[in-house]
Amino acid sequence: MLRGALIASVALHAALLGWVGFRYADGRRPTEEAPAAPVSLLTAAGYVSVLFGPPTIFTADGRGRTEPNDRILEAERLTELPVSCGTRRARAAFPVSGTVRLSIRASGDADVIRMAESTGSACADDVIRTVASALRYHWLPDERYPAPVQLVQPVTVAEVR
């Protein structure tokens, strides 16, 4: 009896869904094949290996001082690849190096001002800006360089496959 009620219930639901014209959110019917989903690299994640070289820090009067070579940071991180990296050709430019102009807040968090030296690739510049905006300086600002600290940060990025 339970089996018969279950079969009747499934049949009734199937008939009801077919009768009301059930469609998925993308507009297709359950019997239609889903179209190939376009890859949105705006939300596609990729691993990158990043080397942050010693920055050049600017004083209030505009003079720059490059930090010693021990002020480097190597990291491997998962990051969102920007739309400009939508082709293999755009990603083939890696590894790349460029410099980005940053403003460091009192909290040590970095705000990207602009690319100081472009890589020559929109994709690579976007990736450099993305990884640089996630930086947090634990040693800046300080008494010699009060917030907001302006600096130019060298960045080398390689895509990890």
Side-chain angles (χ1 to χ4, degrees):
M1 182 155 162
L2 181 60
R3 185 176 177 184
L6 183 59
I7 291 171
S9 175
V10 169
L12 179 63
H13 280 90
L16 182 62
L17 287 175
W19 179 68
V20 296
F22 178 80
R23 292 181 182 269
Y24 290 110
D26 63 4
R28 66 184 169 86
R29 293 186 181 276
T31 56
E32 297 172 351
E33 189 174 317
V39 176
S40 170
L41 288 172
L42 182 61
T43 58
Y47 276 104
V48 291
S49 173
V50 187
L51 173 69
F52 296 100
T56 299
I57 304 172
F58 295 95
T59 58
D61 63 5
R63 288 183 298 176
R65 177 183 172 283
T66 301
E67 289 292 295
N69 284 338
D70 63 342
R71 278 280 191 217
I72 62 169
L73 171 65
E74 292 183 66
E76 194 169 283
R77 63 178 302 224
L78 183 66
T79 189
E80 288 185 359
L81 297 175
V83 172
S84 59
C85 295
T87 65
R88 273 195 194 136
R89 186 171 159 217
R91 290 190 305 272
F94 289 91
V96 293
S97 295
T99 57
V100 63
R101 180 99 182 194
L102 302 173
S103 177
I104 311 305
R105 292 182 256 151
S107 63
D109 293 319
D111 292 318
V112 174
I113 297 172
R114 63 178 169 78
M115 288 297 294
E117 180 185 327
S118 174
T119 63
S121 160
C123 166
D125 286 353
D126 287 346
V127 171
I128 284 177
R129 281 190 292 267
T130 299
V131 296
S133 69
L135 279 171
R136 182 153 199 247
Y137 291 80
H138 295 281
W139 51 279
L140 279 177
D142 61 14
E143 58 282 340
R144 193 168 43 164
Y145 302 108
V149 180
Q150 301 287 312
L151 61 85
V152 172
Q153 178 69 64
V155 182
T156 300
V157 178
E159 187 176 24
V160 176
R161 298 191 188 264

